[in-house]
Amino acid sequence: MKNYQFWFCVGSQDLYGEECLTRVAEHAKVMVEEINASGNLPFPLVLKPVLISAGHIQKTFAEASADDLCAGVITWMHTFSPAKSWIAGLKINTKPLLHLHTQFNEEIPYDTIDMDFMNENQSAHGGREYGHILTRMGLFRKVVAGHWRDPQVISRVASWMRTAVGVVESSKLRVLRIADNMRNVAVTEGDKVEAQVKFGWEVDAWPVNDIVDYVNDVKKADVDALVSEYYQEYEVILDGRGEEDFRRHVAVQAQIELGFERFLKEKNYHAIVTHFDDLGGLQQLPGLAIQRLMQKGYGFGAEGDWKTAAMVRLMKLMTQGVKDAKGTSMLEDYTYNLVPGKEGILQAHMLEICPSLASGKPAIRCLPLSMGSREDPARLVFTSKTGPGVAVSLIDLGTRFRLIIAEVECKKVEKPMPNLPVATAFWTPQPDFTTGVEAWILAGGAHHTAFSYDLSVEQMADWAEQMGIEALIIDRNTNLRQVKQDLMLGQAFYR
Ligand code: MN
């Protein structure tokens, strides 16, 4: 990922004289230096000269748009800044925009305040003028209000920065399909042309055997080295299989990992889909191999699900560098626990869950797969961490996309599941099992999700809004009547 920066642009006007403008610039400098030094933002702020004239504002947005390292523009109205001067610039802006509605001083200086002070520090006034023009122009921006030293405010700016990276990276995302969608499955399908128009995703199909050639080209020594690495890093559970035979099965996955990775790198793809029913010359369904690639940051979708693959990739980028990150993966709603008071959804897949979710050391197991026609695939088995997370499903409704965003609480399953040879997570959706599940079903959410412990509903909702697509949120504030109204409104608004 690039070393992204965020531009900090302060709006003002020349009505209050040079002295005032000098102080505006000084204040902005203090703020940017202090916020950068705090280490609480994932990306640095870059201070730009104070913006006064329409020409200068337009030039600044043009430069921001052309700058590959600029992932977003943060604007602050220190004084009043007549908003007609912003129209031309905002019109050409292509970067995510945040309106930081703050002011330099935290407290009104009761003893000394005079008209000069008030004219110089009138964000309350200028921010409204600026907000008005953005609303009138129908432009999406994030608004964060509060004092700039408040850790809560900085934390919200930091979260938005990650959303902004998800937005700018979206336009560069390339998904490799080495198989079509599973026959007759509806929810993993979608309009790839529209996805490129809306999100910028390039979704390409390649014959599976083109990538199999790369797998076959991997040197034995490289495979052996990677197998040794696996044995170092993971537990090994033989399940009664001979050690040599087990190792040979694991080696098949190591070879797939290396071959796939070289193909992805050479052809510049960031996400991949497979399909258990279309494996060409592959000896096993890629399991362990895909799990490892996901951990390295690649997106993945099973059964040809390119929308989930793209979302997993974006969410991995959005969470890159998060302190004490807990993980991001594709998951699938598989089976329920419906015991009153213990309701939840067991999340799993045939094989391919990212080990970044693992609580403890994953184990390699090699057991038969009930689907497909290849030899027993090696895979990593583990249970996932506990705590809150966000699960999203991007669906194509024929005329538009909808992102369903659900807040979930991951829990430990009551008992071990020794006969289940796949990685699992277990969660209860917010606000409660019944409401969360019914809302998801009504919204048309898929069985595949892109899931992260390290992102919030707000971040994903902002991403959807910036992308211009409908979002349906299921969180602790959700009730079904509201969900139904949201769905109707979405139908009217996003037609
Ligand atoms: Mn599936």
Side-chain angles (χ1 to χ4, degrees):
M1 191 158 79
K2 288 196 157 60
N3 296 319
Y4 284 118
Q5 303 175 333
F6 285 78
W7 289 19
F8 192 79
C9 298
V10 184
S12 191
Q13 63 170 335
D14 51 15
L15 197 64
Y16 309 116
E18 270 311 308
E19 208 183 314
C20 170
L21 280 172
T22 308
R23 264 194 306 276
V24 168
E26 275 169 16
H27 289 168
K29 189 163 176 283
V30 169
M31 280 167 63
V32 165
E33 281 173 1
E34 197 175 315
I35 294 170
N36 279 339
S38 77
N40 291 328
L41 292 183
F43 303 94
L45 297 174
V46 177
L47 181 62
K48 293 290 160 180
V50 178
L51 298 176
I52 297 162
S53 69
H56 189 199
I57 293 169
Q58 190 179 14
K59 188 167 165 282
T60 303
F61 277 109
E63 285 166 6
S65 294
D67 186 338
D68 224 21
L69 289 181
C70 173
V73 178
I74 296 176
T75 45
W76 169 43
M77 300 305 120
H78 188 303
T79 69
F80 194 74
S81 180
K84 284 187 193 172
S85 344
W86 287 77
I87 293 172
L90 291 170
K91 247 182 164 168
I92 58 163
N93 176 44
T94 60
K95 299 289 176 169
L97 190 65
L98 181 139
H99 177 190
L100 182 58
H101 188 55
T102 188
Q103 69 183 13
F104 189 68
N105 56 302
E106 186 177 27
E107 190 178 32
I108 294 173
Y110 295 106
D111 300 335
T112 56
I113 188 166
D114 57 11
M115 278 315 289
D116 284 345
F117 180 90
M118 209 149 70
N119 284 332
E120 190 179 295
N121 299 280
Q122 53 170 317
S123 300
H125 183 181
R128 281 168 169 73
E129 167 78 356
Y130 174 68
H132 167 77
I133 201 64
L134 281 154
T135 296
R136 172 152 177 171
M137 291 170 77
L139 295 174
F140 174 67
R141 77 290 189 184
K142 181 75 179 171
V143 181
V144 174
H147 192 246
W148 58 278
R149 275 199 184 104
D150 179 351
Q152 199 83 33
V153 168
I154 297 304
S155 146
R156 290 185 68 211
V157 173
S159 294
W160 169 82
M161 282 182 163
R162 295 191 172 279
T163 301
V165 164
V167 170
V168 296
E169 282 286 339
S170 188
S171 62
K172 300 169 191 165
L173 208 162
R174 300 180 75 238
V175 183
L176 168 66
R177 299 168 70 231
I178 54 168
D180 201 350
N181 299 72
M182 184 176 160
R183 281 183 287 283
N184 286 318
V185 175
V187 81
T188 58
E189 274 287 6
D191 183 337
K192 297 186 284 293
V193 179
E194 195 56 24
Q196 190 154 6
V197 172
K198 274 278 180 230
F199 309 120
W201 302 346
E202 188 182 319
V203 185
D204 296 334
W206 287 74
V208 58
N209 281 339
D210 282 20
I211 198 168
V212 172
D213 288 344
Y214 279 62
V215 173
N216 292 338
D217 282 350
V218 176
K219 292 193 181 66
K220 185 165 182 310
D222 294 337
V223 173
D224 291 345
L226 188 55
V227 171
S228 301
E229 191 185 319
Y230 290 170
Y231 274 60
Q232 290 274 314
E233 207 162 321
Y234 311 116
E235 308 283 354
V236 168
I237 300 177
L238 295 175
D239 291 302
R241 192 181 292 270
E243 206 286 321
E244 207 172 306
D245 187 43
F246 185 90
R247 190 177 277 265
R248 190 191 65 73
H249 276 74
V250 173
V252 169
Q253 293 288 335
Q255 193 171 346
I256 295 173
E257 180 185 335
L258 292 168
F260 274 28
E261 192 172 18
R262 203 186 114 217
F263 190 93
L264 288 161
K265 277 190 180 148
E266 265 184 30
K267 312 270 189 234
N268 190 31
Y269 287 105
H270 316 112
I272 183 170
V273 306
T274 58
H275 176 184
F276 64 87
D277 222 5
D278 188 0
L279 293 173
L282 291 173
Q283 277 172 266
Q284 297 175 13
L285 174 66
L288 175 53
I290 287 293
Q291 293 178 293
R292 297 261 313 176
L293 288 171
M294 252 193 286
Q295 185 147 38
K296 286 174 177 170
Y298 289 99
F300 174 73
E303 292 98 42
D305 186 349
W306 53 269
K307 300 195 301 301
T308 298
M311 289 311 299
V312 169
R313 165 64 177 181
L314 278 183
M315 289 163 78
K316 282 189 173 281
L317 287 170
M318 288 164 76
T319 57
Q320 192 169 302
V322 166
K323 197 170 168 288
D324 303 321
K326 289 168 74 178
T328 300
S329 179
M330 175 193 136
L331 283 170
E332 180 170 270
D333 296 302
Y334 231 119
T335 200
Y336 288 131
N337 189 44
L338 295 174
V339 175
K342 297 172 180 175
E343 296 96 337
I345 316 169
L346 188 66
Q347 304 290 321
H349 205 259
M350 279 189 281
L351 307 172
E352 317 91 329
I353 307 301
C354 179
S356 62
L357 306 188
S359 124
K361 199 174 185 180
I364 310 178
R365 294 181 71 177
C366 181
L367 290 158
L369 195 66
S370 54
M371 284 152 114
S373 55
R374 296 300 191 278
E375 69 178 33
D376 302 350
R379 81 292 303 267
L380 291 172
V381 180
F382 54 85
T383 53
S384 299
K385 301 178 185 88
T386 56
V390 64
V392 307
S393 168
L394 181 66
I395 58 169
D396 185 336
L397 290 166
T399 50
R400 67 185 192 280
F401 291 106
R402 170 186 291 156
L403 188 70
I404 297 127
I405 306 168
E407 187 183 357
V408 300
E409 184 66 28
C410 299
K411 300 169 176 175
K412 206 168 147 37
V413 282
E414 277 184 281
K415 295 173 191 171
M417 300 172 284
N419 294 322
L420 190 65
V422 288
T424 57
F426 180 80
W427 71 49
T428 308
Q430 295 285 2
D432 58 73
F433 179 83
T434 307
T435 310
V437 168
E438 288 181 13
W440 186 274
I441 300 282
L442 284 170
H447 50 278
H448 288 169
T449 57
F451 165 82
S452 181
Y453 292 106
D454 308 311
L455 290 168
S456 65
V457 166
E458 182 177 348
Q459 284 172 302
M460 296 314 297
D462 286 345
W463 182 85
E465 203 171 342
Q466 181 82 55
M467 286 294 164
I469 64 158
E470 180 186 0
L472 192 280
I473 294 168
I474 306 169
D475 65 5
R476 60 195 67 198
N477 300 314
T478 291
N479 69 69
L480 279 177
R481 196 181 307 167
Q482 188 65 51
V483 164
K484 287 180 186 175
Q485 278 174 9
D486 286 351
L487 291 172
M488 281 191 284
L489 281 173
Q491 191 145 342
F493 185 80
Y494 291 99
R495 64 171 68 241

